[in-house]
Amino acid sequence: MKKKTIITWVVFTVLLWMLILLTCSMLGAVKISFIEALQLWSSKISFRNNAQTTDPALLQLEVVYWQIRIPRLILATLGGMVLASTGTAFQSVFRNPMADPYVLGISSGASLGAALAIVLGLEASVLGVTGMAFVFAIATLGIVFLIASRTGKVSSQVLLLAGVAMSFLSLALVSMLIFLNRDKVEQIVFWTLGGLNAADWNRIVLLTPIVIAGILVLFYHARHLNVMLMGTDTAKSLGINTGRTTIWVLLVSSFMVAIIVAHTGVIGFVGLIIPHIVRLLTGPDNRKIIPLSVAAGAIFLMIADTIARTLLAPSELPVGSITALFGVPYFLFLLYQSQKTIL
């Protein structure tokens, strides 16, 4: 891709993200008009010393807008970026368009670790919720990969079945934890359903550098992933250290998924839908797919979360249920297509 084309795509993506962010920020139980949204933004970016708002109604809107709605949309952006980029990475490493953190059971494993941390009261410990989520995400990935590669070669069908089995196992154990710890039901259920209602600026500040660094690592390995799509033997003959690349990509991806799950709960199918659609539009080059999936994932999850909090307002649906409504039919479609290929 030419440098001028890359710059054009980046500018277009940023402008589109800003437009959707502005649109989604106006929707919710508390309606905010376009003029009010512009006033809120202008009061924030104004360099004047007297830019403080005195209107009580606008003050209330400021709290809703800047302390609840914008942090939530930015958390959706970060979550979409992580899930889409890691989905791209998993599909490339396993050479399977149906691989993603949710389908492989990694998200469910991370939620089990987070739920266990809550039950054991480890929120304030060194390991903490994120640490436990990461440990269980890596453990789940390791088990799934060992089962799928038992014959020495990774089987796509076994990989998916093992991922689904581990996902069900994790959810079953989470259900047991809920039953045995009813005083912590609300906290645990949050991880199983997925939601962005815990968003705040502290989380944004913590997550942003980690997410950006992780995505840069994946993008750095994009060329290697392209070669690995041709097969392990071919990649090795071209001088690619496939083992090191695989370990780096899987570890970084699992860590990013774990830290996002620790703050958003389990949100499925973003990493399945987005990379596959982007790949259909751009071709198999991960140097294009990763950055475009990052942008598309951010936009998709912002829209899904807006639907979740506005469809039955003032009540709120779990955002994971909205992404599943899109993801499950698409997953079945991919299974159908793969079955036709096999036949």
Side-chain angles (χ1 to χ4, degrees), residues 69-339:
R69 204 162 286 179
I70 293 298
R72 182 167 179 152
L73 289 169
I74 295 177
L75 183 59
T77 295
L78 295 173
M81 290 167 66
V82 166
L83 295 173
S85 61
T86 54
T88 303
F90 283 128
Q91 289 169 18
S92 297
V93 168
F94 296 118
R95 299 198 298 278
N96 189 322
M98 288 177 283
D100 92 320
Y102 184 78
V103 175
L104 293 181
I106 296 169
S107 295
S108 298
S111 71
L112 173 60
L116 194 59
I118 292 170
V119 169
L120 297 176
L122 300 177
E123 294 100 320
S125 69
V126 175
L127 191 58
V129 176
T130 302
M132 286 287 283
F134 176 63
V135 169
F136 276 74
I138 292 294
T140 303
L141 176 64
I143 293 170
V144 169
F145 188 74
L146 284 175
I147 294 172
S149 60
R150 187 175 61 86
T151 59
K153 185 179 180 181
V154 177
S155 167
S156 298
Q157 287 77 15
V158 176
L159 184 75
L160 291 173
L161 290 173
V164 171
M166 289 302 297
S167 181
F168 277 120
L169 176 62
S170 297
L171 292 176
L173 293 173
V174 170
S175 298
M176 290 176 63
L177 290 175
I178 291 173
F179 182 79
L180 296 172
N181 299 272
R182 299 192 179 184
D183 57 321
K184 297 182 178 179
V185 168
E186 187 175 346
Q187 288 176 279
I188 298 174
V189 167
F190 167 77
W191 305 111
T192 61
L193 297 179
L196 302 166
N197 52 314
D200 57 44
W201 288 111
N202 290 331
R203 294 172 191 267
I204 302 303
V205 171
L206 170 69
L207 292 173
T208 300
I210 296 173
V211 169
I212 292 173
I215 290 171
L216 288 175
V217 171
L218 295 183
F219 185 74
Y220 173 79
H221 288 93
R223 186 177 64 84
H224 293 174
L225 292 174
N226 286 342
V227 179
M228 288 172 63
L229 286 172
M230 296 185 289
T232 303
D233 294 335
T234 303
K236 287 180 179 178
S237 67
L238 294 173
I240 303 297
N241 189 330
T242 58
R244 185 174 62 187
T245 298
T246 300
I247 289 172
W248 264 107
V249 168
L250 294 183
L251 280 177
V252 170
S253 297
S254 298
F255 177 72
M256 287 201 295
V257 170
I259 198 169
I260 283 296
V261 168
H263 292 281
T264 67
V266 179
I267 300 174
F269 298 105
V270 179
L272 174 73
I273 302 172
I274 301 303
H276 196 265
I277 292 175
V278 171
R279 190 177 291 107
L280 290 174
L281 296 173
T282 66
D285 189 350
N286 281 298
R287 291 172 297 180
K288 299 177 184 177
I289 297 173
I290 290 176
L292 290 177
S293 292
V294 165
I299 291 169
F300 173 72
L301 195 53
M302 277 200 301
I303 294 173
D305 181 58
T306 302
I307 294 172
R309 60 185 173 80
T310 58
L311 194 62
L312 298 177
S315 299
E316 185 177 309
L317 294 170
V319 68
S321 64
I322 302 298
T323 58
L325 287 176
F326 290 98
V328 171
Y330 200 80
F331 180 67
L332 293 174
F333 169 74
L334 290 178
L335 281 176
Y336 175 72
Q337 290 293 103
S338 65
Q339 189 70 16

Side-chain angles (χ1 to χ4, degrees), residues 7-146:
I7 294 173
T8 302
W9 269 107
V10 169
V11 172
F12 172 77
T13 303
V14 171
L15 290 176
L16 180 61
W17 174 81
M18 291 174 65
L19 176 63
I20 293 175
L21 175 73
L22 180 63
T23 304
C24 292
S25 69
M26 296 186 293
L27 303 173
V30 177
K31 294 292 189 295
I32 297 174
S33 69
F34 180 71
I35 299 300
E36 289 170 333
L38 290 181
Q39 287 178 328
L40 290 167
W41 278 99
S42 64
S43 67
K44 272 291 178 184
I45 63 177
S46 175
F47 293 102
R48 294 174 300 171
N49 294 326
N50 60 348
Q52 294 293 327
T53 304
T54 56
D55 184 357
L58 200 56
L59 280 171
Q60 185 180 11
L61 286 182
E62 276 190 347
V63 173
V64 172
Y65 198 79
W66 292 113
Q67 301 305 318
I68 299 174
R69 204 162 286 179
I70 293 298
R72 182 167 179 152
L73 289 169
I74 295 177
L75 183 59
T77 295
L78 295 173
M81 290 167 66
V82 166
L83 295 173
S85 61
T86 54
T88 303
F90 283 128
Q91 289 169 18
S92 297
V93 168
F94 296 118
R95 299 198 298 278
N96 189 322
M98 288 177 283
D100 92 320
Y102 184 78
V103 175
L104 293 181
I106 296 169
S107 295
S108 298
S111 71
L112 173 60
L116 194 59
I118 292 170
V119 169
L120 297 176
L122 300 177
E123 294 100 320
S125 69
V126 175
L127 191 58
V129 176
T130 302
M132 286 287 283
F134 176 63
V135 169
F136 276 74
I138 292 294
T140 303
L141 176 64
I143 293 170
V144 169
F145 188 74
L146 284 175

